[in-house]
Amino acid sequence: MKIIKVKDYNEVSKKASEFVINQIMNKPNSILGLATGSTPIGLYNYLIKAYQDKTISFNKVITYNLDEYIGIDRNHPQCYYQYMQDHLFSKVDMKQENIHIPNNDPNKLNENANIYNDALKKVSIDLQILGIGSNGHIGFNEPGTPLGNETFIVELDEQTRKDNMRFFSSLDEVPKHAITMGIKNIMKSKFIILMASGKEKAEAIYKMIHGDVTEDLPASVLQLHPNVVVIVDELAGSKL
Ligand code: PGA
């Protein structure tokens, strides 16, 4: 793991964007694995700027998102399908047919998880963006998730629901389940960038890098991947 420590959230976003911009410049038809939550918003803003400057085009880029909530529909502002449209896709020249986000249709959950997993098996993600939960989750692989899991339906950890309550009006409104890529899918990516900002992430970042590889802290599995860059700000890296 290569650790890059920068000053603040803006620098985390900028540094991550440099990797993604280089990736797209070197391979315009790159397959990107994308994340949601607060952390990648600054990165997406830098990518939109690079598109507007004509440094990069998303015309040939293919994307696969890590996860999607279950129990809210696709036009709910917190649905990750909507999030991606709002924060990136509607602002660049992404082709809708190149966008892949797990389908959360409540009537076909297992079928949709299998369809998403089959699609992931056929491709090789060039660059995967990850955030990290304060409990050490990546995607929605919560503590205790078997490290060999592929795309599955997960019951969200209480800590994750509390952490994400800020996006909803009450804890009751935060979905209890999600579809997520499994650790095995994530580990297949050729290159992984994990971004973290803020003191709430400091403990998880410390354990991910210096702790044992364990299901109790799913991000620790990244110690076993040959090509990972971790970009942290001063607060998230304060225990390192
Ligand atoms: P956040 O979430 O970016 O909203 O802090 C990160 C994650 O849960 O992976």
Side-chain angles (χ1 to χ4, degrees):
M1 269 188 204
K2 181 175 173 198
I3 318 296
I4 300 177
K5 209 166 163 180
V6 294
K7 189 164 170 290
D8 55 17
Y9 175 69
N10 180 50
E11 286 190 18
V12 171
S13 307
K14 191 155 188 283
K15 182 49 84 184
S17 77
E18 289 165 13
F19 283 102
V20 181
I21 290 167
N22 274 334
Q23 173 67 43
I24 297 175
M25 284 171 79
N26 291 333
K27 187 180 172 196
N29 60 345
S30 287
I31 305 182
L32 304 181
L34 298 181
T36 48
S38 343
T39 308
I41 292 176
L43 159 66
Y44 295 151
N45 286 337
Y46 275 108
L47 296 182
I48 292 165
K49 191 166 168 294
Y51 163 72
Q52 289 168 342
D53 294 347
K54 301 199 177 356
T55 308
I56 51 168
S57 163
F58 288 79
N59 191 28
K60 298 192 175 118
V61 169
I62 297 166
T63 63
Y64 286 84
N65 265 75
L66 279 169
D67 45 23
E68 178 60 286
Y69 283 126
I70 292 170
I72 53 179
D73 56 54
R74 278 204 150 181
N75 54 12
H76 188 290
Q78 294 310 326
C79 188
Y80 291 153
Y81 172 81
Q82 194 56 45
Y83 167 112
M84 288 309 305
Q85 296 293 337
D86 293 346
H87 292 291
L88 182 65
F89 296 152
S90 69
K91 298 181 175 157
V92 298
D93 59 343
M94 208 42 224
K95 291 204 174 118
Q96 292 296 313
E97 66 265 29
N98 288 341
I99 295 169
H100 303 87
I101 298 180
N103 183 329
N104 65 0
D105 178 345
N107 299 316
K108 294 192 234 165
L109 289 175
N110 285 321
E111 192 182 330
N112 285 336
N114 288 338
I115 290 171
Y116 203 67
N117 202 52
D118 288 344
L120 287 171
K121 277 185 172 162
K122 291 193 188 114
V123 297
S124 185
I125 289 177
D126 292 298
L127 190 165
Q128 173 69 55
I129 299 293
L130 294 178
I132 183 169
S134 63
N135 63 1
H137 75 202
I138 46 177
F140 274 135
N141 289 274
E142 303 287 24
T145 303
L147 301 182
N149 263 22
E150 299 189 315
T151 313
F152 69 109
I153 312 293
V154 60
E155 180 175 355
L156 296 175
D157 201 60
E158 203 52 28
Q159 185 61 48
T160 297
R161 294 185 64 243
K162 283 185 187 147
D163 288 348
N164 289 356
M165 196 173 93
R166 68 193 192 279
F167 300 116
F168 295 84
S169 36
S170 69
L171 186 58
D172 275 353
E173 279 193 22
V174 183
K176 295 192 169 68
H177 295 87
I179 298 188
T180 183
M181 279 191 204
I183 299 278
K184 192 169 170 189
N185 304 109
I186 294 171
M187 290 296 276
K188 232 187 81 191
S189 311
K190 293 179 196 159
F191 177 37
I192 297 175
I193 296 177
L194 184 141
M195 310 162 67
S197 166
K199 64 175 181 345
E200 305 74 24
K201 305 293 172 72
E203 183 76 20
I205 287 290
Y206 175 80
K207 287 185 182 159
M208 171 183 83
I209 295 169
H210 294 295
D212 295 337
V213 174
T214 164
E215 289 174 3
D216 296 340
L217 194 106
S220 63
V221 74
L222 298 176
Q223 291 176 28
L224 306 177
H225 191 286
N227 200 10
V228 177
V229 170
V230 178
I231 308 174
V232 290
D233 66 7
E234 281 174 3
L235 290 173
S238 58
K239 291 187 193 277
L240 295 177

